[in-house]
Amino acid sequence: MESVKNSDLKSSVNGGVVDVYGEDSATIEHSITPWSLSVSSGYSLLRDPRYNKGLAFSEKERDTHYLRGLLPPAVVDQNLQEKRLINNIRQYQYPLQKYMALTELQERNERLFYKLLIDHVEELLPIVYTPTVGEACQKYGSIFRRPQGLFISLKERGKILDVLKNWPERNIQVIVVTDGERILGLGDLGCQGMGIPVGKLALYTALGGVRPSACLPVTIDVGTNNEKLLNDEFYIGLKQKRATGQEYRDLLHEFMSAVKQNYGENVLIQFEDFANHNAFQLLAKYRDTHLVFNDDIQGTAAVVLAGLVSAQKLTNSPLAEHTFLFLGAGEAGTGIPELIALYISKQMNASVEESRKKIWLVDSKGLIVNSRKESLQAFKKPWAHEHEPVNDLLGAIKAIKPNVLIGSAGIGRSFTKEVIEAMSSINERPLIMALSNPTTQSECTAEEAYTWSKGRAIFASGSPFDPVEYEGSVFVSTQANNAYIFPGFGLGLVISGAIRVHDDMLLAAAEALAGQVSKENYEKGMIYPSFSSIRKISAHIAANVATKAYELGLAGRLPRPKEIVKCAESSMYSPTYRIYR
């Protein structure tokens, strides 16, 4: 990609991280020095994933860097390496085998890993991310080879700042952190939840262009309540029950303070797969003092809102006229409706409280109504409306008559035939979103949604499904995947030097994503754009988010770039090999 010559953009090159060694500010033709702690050469160069090129080292590089005899004589280019690898990966029978092969590649040759992932994103996304990453976390102890990221446990109390300094990179811009208590729809996986931060950050680089060296995966290990793991001899985490209360809060506060002290005001901390009670408290506690983002609450909300906004062209009615029903009232189940209410309030110039009235939630005890308010958790109370009690989802559909049904409860096949048929009897084009991950927890499959609605449903899901043929028509469902949002969202925060996340930035990200849905996508019944153009999508999301940061006075990188989309594009990491001096 051509670099932008506007002087305003220079400080934003390389995802907002200072390019200390000039490796990405140089053009492809320029040579660079493969620095580690010293100049890498010989055997150590082949073992350094950032600089290793395998058989792609040129004859001159083999002479200069003492590689003669350490490699076979053939010299091949990166494209041929990529072709060989994708062919090899396709030979594996099981997704977990593919995941392990990609992990090994990432640990061996970083640039080739990202080039493979970028060029084959639609094929490999389900491997490095959901649903395969869920299985990888379940079996993390058995497949563990070498550490990726930082493991911070109760053993490190009082020493977390020192632990952060053990990480070799100093210019960190994005941290993804989990405590492993609620991994996807799989529950408490403890220390083995590290697969989630690692996978998310791989997508920050591949999809959003944030430099790999600027990304730090972190797992906070406070124990696990998973008896199976506690009794597993291969479990790699602390073998104790989870710490709670003040002990837990103190450890997290030490971590948050240490991150800010070590990396500064502008480092983005993304909370990932925390249990509901901690997720909401952490976001509320730190959103005014740190640059924090919860992908389960805010990222999911933005991607779902984008789908709803784009679906207006298929339903021919504005969101303000819709009635929404959610199955699930956890992180996603309350985060999504809150952002929808905010969007509608701005569209209609009404209060958020007024906009909430057309949004209903069903939890494990039935429809959330006023008569239950005293017993509800705080984050559910805004959704308690006046209505008689309804015990189940089907009853709630018949009573509320929603236009939109969204599932985020992690209860597989909860959108039964009766549920889909009830939605179809109310709406000409029922909008159904089965968001739970992994595939086994999805509320329904694409085939079930299209078949039971007689081809009338507008459908999106959290996990990927193959196209469905029904009565001679082919329906292509799209994945309401957070990977549409968080890489571009994070890039926008980085290139603007944002110091806080504001809800208006989430609206800006959702609107940018909805704006990328093409006429061809709509003709196939899709409400999200094709993932094949994800870097273009991420650049537009980043530009919208950065623009909003500047408008709100939250951007620290000045002066403001004149062409923010080009700024975002020029900031993206390129996985193409560099020439070594």
Side-chain angles (χ1 to χ4, degrees), residues 7-9 11-12 495 550 556-562:
S7 61
D8 290 337
L9 310 186
S11 62
S12 298
I495 64 174
Y550 283 107
R557 192 175 299 279
L558 300 171
R560 173 176 174 168
K562 293 177 181 176

Side-chain angles (χ1 to χ4, degrees), residues 177-235:
V177 58
T178 186
D179 71 352
E181 189 169 4
R182 192 200 61 84
I183 298 298
L184 302 175
L186 303 171
D188 186 351
L189 297 184
C191 188
Q192 297 187 169
M194 178 58 97
I196 298 295
V198 169
K200 289 274 185 175
L201 286 168
L203 299 184
Y204 260 110
T205 297
L207 312 186
V210 179
R211 291 171 54 81
S213 61
C215 298
L216 175 58
V218 177
T219 290
I220 306 287
D221 186 357
V222 296
T224 178
N225 294 334
N226 187 324
E227 290 294 336
K228 184 177 179 181
L229 292 179
L230 291 173
N231 295 319
D232 183 353
E233 63 178 323
F234 298 119
Y235 179 56

Side-chain angles (χ1 to χ4, degrees), residues 134-398:
E135 182 184 1
C137 287
Q138 288 178 307
K139 300 174 180 177
Y140 206 79
S142 299
I143 66 175
F144 180 80
R145 294 181 179 179
R146 58 181 288 183
Q148 294 176 294
L150 280 178
F151 294 86
I152 297 174
S153 74
L154 291 168
K155 293 179 180 181
E156 281 71 58
R157 275 178 294 196
K159 300 180 289 187
I160 293 179
L161 182 59
D162 294 331
V163 172
L164 292 178
K165 290 179 179 178
N166 288 342
W167 188 250
E169 302 296 340
R170 294 291 174 262
N171 295 309
I172 298 299
Q173 287 289 329
V174 181
I175 293 172
V176 176
V177 58
T178 186
D179 71 352
E181 189 169 4
R182 192 200 61 84
I183 298 298
L184 302 175
L186 303 171
D188 186 351
L189 297 184
C191 188
Q192 297 187 169
M194 178 58 97
I196 298 295
V198 169
K200 289 274 185 175
L201 286 168
L203 299 184
Y204 260 110
T205 297
L207 312 186
V210 179
R211 291 171 54 81
S213 61
C215 298
L216 175 58
V218 177
T219 290
I220 306 287
D221 186 357
V222 296
T224 178
N225 294 334
N226 187 324
E227 290 294 336
K228 184 177 179 181
L229 292 179
L230 291 173
N231 295 319
D232 183 353
E233 63 178 323
F234 298 119
Y235 179 56
I236 60 175
L238 289 179
K239 289 195 173 183
Q240 66 174 63
K241 292 289 187 179
R242 279 190 171 272
T244 58
Q246 196 62 42
E247 183 180 20
Y248 177 88
R249 290 192 292 272
D250 287 348
L251 188 72
L252 266 293
H253 188 69
E254 183 186 350
F255 168 73
M256 296 297 291
S257 300
V259 165
K260 196 169 184 178
Q261 183 177 344
N262 201 48
Y263 300 122
E265 187 84 19
N266 301 104
V267 62
L268 171 61
I269 304 170
Q270 178 171 314
F271 296 123
E272 196 67 41
D273 287 354
F274 284 78
N276 291 344
H277 55 283
N278 290 322
F280 288 104
Q281 289 175 8
L282 288 169
L283 187 60
K285 182 175 182 178
Y286 293 108
R287 68 185 306 166
D288 293 329
T289 58
H290 292 67
L291 184 66
V292 293
F293 171 68
N294 186 303
D295 191 42
D296 303 301
I297 299 172
Q298 297 166 295
T300 302
V303 77
V304 171
L305 176 59
L308 296 174
V309 171
S310 71
Q312 292 175 116
K313 292 190 177 180
L314 297 177
T315 60
N316 294 315
S317 59
L319 287 192
E321 294 180 4
H322 289 352
T323 299
F324 303 83
L325 181 62
F326 285 77
L327 175 63
E331 293 174 57
T334 53
I336 300 166
E338 192 64 42
L339 197 65
I340 294 171
L342 179 62
Y343 177 84
I344 292 174
S345 72
K346 289 181 178 294
Q347 295 294 307
M348 301 301 294
N349 197 25
S351 68
V352 173
E353 290 73 20
E354 186 67 25
S355 300
R356 287 186 184 129
K357 292 180 180 178
K358 299 199 75 174
I359 304 173
W360 298 80
L361 276 61
V362 172
D363 65 6
S364 59
K365 294 181 175 61
L367 192 66
I368 294 179
V369 294
N370 269 337
S371 60
R372 293 178 51 197
K373 204 164 189 176
E374 292 303 315
S375 63
L376 291 173
Q377 294 164 284
F379 60 85
K380 294 183 183 181
K381 288 184 178 182
W383 309 104
H385 306 317
E386 193 59 51
H387 198 282
E388 72 259 12
V390 180
N391 294 327
D392 60 6
L393 177 62
L394 185 58
I397 291 172
K398 293 176 179 178

Side-chain angles (χ1 to χ4, degrees), residues 30 91 196 213-214 241 333 397 407 461 522 538:
H30 284 118
Q91 301 306 310
I196 298 295
S213 61
K241 292 289 187 179
I397 291 172
S461 57
Y522 284 124
S538 292

Side-chain angles (χ1 to χ4, degrees), residues 81-98:
Q81 288 180 310
E82 181 184 356
K83 181 180 179 181
R84 177 175 61 84
L85 277 165
I86 194 64
N87 287 338
N88 288 345
I89 286 169
R90 287 168 179 163
Q91 301 306 310
Y92 290 114
Q93 183 178 358
Y94 299 108
L96 186 61
Q97 294 173 319
K98 298 180 180 182

